[in-house]
Amino acid sequence: MNASWDGLLLDCRLATMTGNGAPFGLVDDAALAWKDGRVVFAAPMSALPGKPDALAREVGSASGALVTPGLIDCHTHLVFAGDRAAEFDLRLNGASYADIAQAGGGIVSTVTRTRAADEDELLAQSLTRARTLLSDGVTTLEIKSGYGLALDDEAKMLRVARRIGDELGLGVRTTFLGAHALPPEFAGRQSDYVDEVCIRMLPKIAHAGLADAVDAFCETIAFTPSETRRVFETARALGLPVKLHADQLSDTGGAALAAEFGALSADHLEYANEAGIAALAAAGSVAVMLPGAFYTLRESTLPPIEVFRRHGVALAVASDLNPGTSPLLSLRHAMNMACTLFRMTPEEALRGATVHAARALGLADRGTLAPGQRADFVVWDAGHPAELCYWIGGALARSVVIGGRAAAT
Ligand code: DI6
Ligand code: FE
């Protein structure tokens, strides 16, 4: 019999993240096999249908190490130019947000830098961040626009996001976030800018195939629920799914609004109310926890984890990697904070960075290790899945495999 499988990894401690009844879907003394980029076997070695060398062209051993699905970072603003370290320094030397904003800091300073960078420069700066996430086990990531705030610059950001996937072999899902902040040229004319987003920018972005979803920042310091509704109605008319930065700093009814449009996810949610959470449950929307922003802003209101649990809302965890409120270059660190700060369990956090993160991106072909799923997996220098949330920092990923091929980390 010719070896028909492309690869076979023996002696794994497999955290399949499937509902096989074991915590983390764990299978000990397991084997994992793949063919044409898809998993074909994920079960005890004793169940292998023949001798390993007869089954697969390449046979290796994990020597008992933990193997999980590739991690999925379902909420990043990873494409941007420059950084905001100087204002971080100013703040810690006593400057107020108002001082910083008046000095041209905040989101607008990143918009200025991002507009000034050409596409290749933007790609070079962003690739470095994507490689850092990849090296720590991320095999799929979502990347938003939102620092261009003008058609050509938003399109430039989304092209860079797509190119990151091409360059690194990562799965990339792009999200248009034109309704992120008010650009300086529209100062005092927010309604005109929402027209620009809905009438000109979003249709052109959609027709160019640059966005897989549409997001908005619904907040008292950003866009109102009615402005957000306009963006969502435009997205719906263009056949694009939506997700929402919701109830991050105040209860604006963002969760309920996201649920009303059947959003893939509602994100942040520190101030979400129970009616909104019940609506998310009914809509099947994922609640994405972003502890990096909570930590950086020194927020004191915790997202209502118990209420999400009670209503059966799927919880995801993401880095929210952005230069202002979450300069966090590690999804595993976000998982640690989701446990330590938000009191999620390690299994909830790992499920939040695999199965539920995939759902938040509308992807059903990844997030678990089971036949038919993408062969995206990580061999860790760890034995127990909880270690992925327990260790703060460090380089735990021994090898990262995307579509059955080892990624250059
Ligand atoms: N919520 C946030 O915390 C970030 N964007 C958003 O919608 C802030 C992004 C930045 O400060 O650059
Ligand atoms: Fe964000």
Side-chain angles (χ1 to χ4, degrees), residues 264-316:
L264 291 172
S265 71
D267 302 40
H268 287 288
L269 296 173
E270 279 85 344
Y271 290 84
N273 60 52
E274 182 147 10
I277 291 169
L280 289 175
S285 303
V286 176
V288 181
M289 300 294 101
L290 301 172
F294 175 94
Y295 166 81
T296 304
L297 294 171
R298 301 174 68 224
E299 175 58 66
S300 54
T301 297
L302 287 165
I305 299 294
E306 266 314 318
V307 183
F308 292 123
R309 286 179 179 139
R310 193 163 64 244
H311 286 274
V313 176
L315 289 170

Side-chain angles (χ1 to χ4, degrees), residues 72-78 133 138 141-142 268 288-294 296 316-322 325-335 337 353:
I72 299 169
D73 196 344
C74 68
H75 182 133
T76 87
H77 306 253
L78 178 139
L133 293 177
V138 171
L141 77 160
E142 182 257 13
H268 287 288
V288 181
M289 300 294 101
L290 301 172
F294 175 94
T296 304
V317 178
S319 68
D320 193 14
L321 171 51
N322 75 70
T325 63
S326 191
L328 177 60
L329 292 167
S330 167
L331 177 55
R332 273 199 323 102
H333 203 139
M335 291 158 64
M337 288 195 271

